[in-house]
Amino acid sequence: MGSGAGNFIKVLLRNFDVLAGPVVSLVYPLHASVRAIETQSHADDKQWLTYWVLYSLLALFELTFAKLIEWVPIWSFAKLILTCWLVIPYFSGAAYVYEHFVRPVFVNPQSINIWYVPKKMDIFRKPDDMLTAAEKYIAENGPDAFQKILSRSDKSKRYKQPETMYGEEYQYQGNYKSF
């Protein structure tokens, strides 16, 4: 009997991540989420909604990179530790990750373009939007002011240099010399 109990404990310890993972990442958060729904506080709702957003991102990451993750031998333990940090309210891990990494991406998306791509016109713009804006400008400032803007725009098109991936500060300003 002694060796049977010892073998059972060895199996439990060797498979701790497999056994504890679903409890930590699904069972406890599910229970806490149901309790949070039943309370009047919005703070616990936010905690668990944040957790489920991060859990879904983690699941998407795992599904996307499954072939690479299977080569990382400690992935299951690292995921268990990360999930514990996200789940336990004392650490506020879910709030930290959401505020510092997820929220800036989704709330203030900024595109970074390292290559030159010509600006595209918005294909969904209504054709009368420009006309409406012009009519409003003429009504507020008069037709002479509108004519000045048109003439300035026409001149700037004639003398505009081609756009590059660098800003104007990188354009060569020196004199050209011929050899």
Side-chain angles (χ1 to χ4, degrees):
M1 274 234 147
S3 66
N7 287 337
F8 180 71
I9 291 174
K10 284 181 186 178
V11 168
L12 281 178
L13 289 177
R14 284 187 184 151
N15 297 310
F16 178 74
D17 58 323
V18 175
L19 299 171
V23 172
V24 170
S25 63
L26 294 171
V27 175
Y28 175 69
L30 177 66
H31 174 69
S33 297
V34 170
R35 284 186 31 210
I37 291 170
E38 298 302 322
T39 65
Q40 297 299 322
S41 172
H42 292 290
D44 55 359
D45 294 348
K46 188 174 181 178
Q47 154 71 27
W48 293 110
L49 278 172
T50 304
Y51 169 76
W52 289 114
V53 166
L54 295 175
Y55 181 78
S56 66
L57 289 174
L58 183 62
L60 286 172
F61 175 79
E62 278 189 309
L63 289 171
T64 305
F65 299 106
K67 294 293 182 186
L68 293 174
I69 289 173
E70 69 185 21
W71 287 93
V72 179
I74 62 168
W75 171 252
S76 57
F77 294 109
K79 180 183 170 189
L80 181 62
I81 292 169
L82 175 68
T83 306
C84 286
W85 182 64
L86 293 174
V87 166
I88 299 172
Y90 176 77
F91 297 119
S92 299
Y96 180 83
V97 172
Y98 181 79
E99 286 295 324
H100 289 88
F101 300 105
V102 177
R103 189 169 192 270
V105 171
F106 287 103
V107 174
N108 298 323
Q110 297 177 358
S111 62
I112 298 173
N113 188 5
I114 60 170
W115 303 105
Y116 168 70
V117 178
K119 295 179 183 177
K120 295 181 182 177
M121 293 302 294
D122 185 8
I123 61 172
F124 298 110
R125 181 179 293 158
K126 296 178 187 173
D128 63 339
D129 282 349
M130 189 64 103
L131 183 60
T132 306
E135 288 173 349
K136 183 178 176 184
Y137 186 83
I138 290 171
E140 291 175 359
N141 300 308
D144 294 333
F146 185 69
Q147 189 62 37
K148 287 180 184 177
I149 289 177
L150 289 177
S151 65
R152 265 191 295 172
S153 172
D154 190 37
K155 288 178 186 175
S156 67
K157 280 185 183 176
R158 274 189 246 150
Y159 300 114
K160 188 173 183 179
Q161 294 183 358
E163 293 183 22
T164 64
M165 68 180 203
Y166 304 108
E168 292 178 7
E169 65 272 6
Y170 287 101
Q171 291 180 355
Y172 181 73
Q173 300 296 324
N175 295 330
Y176 294 104
K177 293 182 181 179
S178 60
F179 293 99

